[in-house]
Amino acid sequence: MSGLRALIREYRKITDNEIKSETGNGTLMGPRGPLKESIEFRDLLNPSRRYFSAFKEDDKYVSSFRLGHFNIPDIIAGSAAGVSYIGGMNLGRALIKEGLADDTRSLGELMLEHKLGILDVISEEGNGRHLTMDIRVYECIECSGLPNIGRPICFFEAGIIAGALSEILGGRVDAYERRCWTNGYSFCQFDVRARI
Ligand SMILES: [Zn+2]
């Protein structure tokens, strides 16, 4: 676990630097190029993740997950974003209701165990009823290593975070992915807003 903590510290540095170097001209875009029009089938094969690759056949695990999206037409093109987010919310709620996690720490452990990604709660601010959180996910099963197509794609994971937190906090929670591998970053970052 200490190896993981050191890795998270390293990821925080990388992500902070990428955020610092943003140009801020309206559309968020990370430093990783070149920009592609869309994700192609072959982009889904042979993924590589730094921490999770220590586990046997992580590449097969991740590509199988991604290939599974072909059961919903155009999901990678973004037209199924809403459906994907709602599906994630239902799953996130169920994870808490079924007792698989009961706070952000155990949710992070669950995500690690299922190799969905490395959850990192960077900040949490608010006055009790309104809460905003900066949540990052490293080595996300959805997008880690995918090309930059100019927009984020982790609607399912945003939904999982929103659904799980809405059960944990007991209120309405929205999670919006602002930064992702697919808009040029080396991580996923979610702006989370909660009304409790
Ligand atoms: Zn992402």
Side-chain angles (χ1 to χ4, degrees):
M1 238 14 196
S2 68
L4 182 62
R5 274 197 292 272
L7 182 66
I8 289 174
R9 275 198 299 276
E10 202 181 316
Y11 272 130
R12 280 190 184 188
K13 265 187 217 146
I14 294 168
T15 58
D16 285 345
N17 283 338
E18 289 189 4
I19 291 172
K20 256 185 231 147
S21 65
E22 282 167 353
T23 49
N25 56 356
T27 313
L28 274 184
M29 190 76 76
R32 218 168 23 77
L35 193 61
K36 274 183 77 169
E37 199 174 313
S38 61
I39 295 165
E40 292 163 69
F41 174 74
R42 74 177 93 88
D43 294 324
L44 305 180
L45 305 174
N46 307 313
S48 151
R49 302 194 292 177
R50 195 168 149 188
Y51 174 73
F52 291 114
S53 64
F55 299 93
K56 204 166 170 256
E57 300 198 326
D58 187 61
D59 56 335
K60 301 286 187 303
Y61 183 77
V62 172
S63 59
S64 295
F65 176 90
R66 293 177 185 175
L67 293 174
H69 293 340
F70 282 88
N71 65 355
I72 303 174
D74 292 338
I75 192 158
I76 293 164
S79 57
V83 175
S84 192
Y85 184 79
I86 290 166
M89 275 195 90
N90 290 336
L91 174 60
R93 283 203 188 102
L95 293 176
I96 308 304
K97 279 185 188 157
E98 296 293 329
L100 277 78
D102 56 11
D103 55 18
T104 50
R105 193 188 53 80
S106 52
L107 179 65
E109 283 167 7
L110 184 74
M111 286 180 66
L112 264 189
E113 200 182 321
H114 289 268
K115 305 185 184 75
L116 296 176
I118 304 166
L119 185 78
D120 190 13
V121 180
I122 298 287
S123 67
E124 196 176 319
E125 289 166 24
N127 59 5
R129 297 200 58 210
H130 292 267
L131 207 63
T132 58
M133 299 167 92
D134 175 355
I135 292 184
R136 294 179 198 168
V137 174
Y138 315 123
E139 306 193 13
C140 170
I141 194 166
E142 187 82 58
C143 69
S144 182
L146 288 182
N148 181 357
I149 55 163
R151 54 188 171 75
I153 61 159
C154 300
F155 308 105
F156 183 57
E157 289 68 19
I160 293 174
I161 290 170
L165 288 177
S166 72
E167 284 297 318
I168 290 169
L169 300 168
R172 194 199 145 90
V173 179
D174 295 304
Y176 177 71
E177 191 187 31
R178 282 166 58 77
R179 299 173 175 93
C180 181
W181 276 82
T182 58
N183 65 340
Y185 296 88
S186 310
F187 61 105
C188 301
Q189 185 266 323
F190 301 88
D191 278 351
V192 177
R193 277 198 308 268
R195 259 183 299 143
I196 305 156

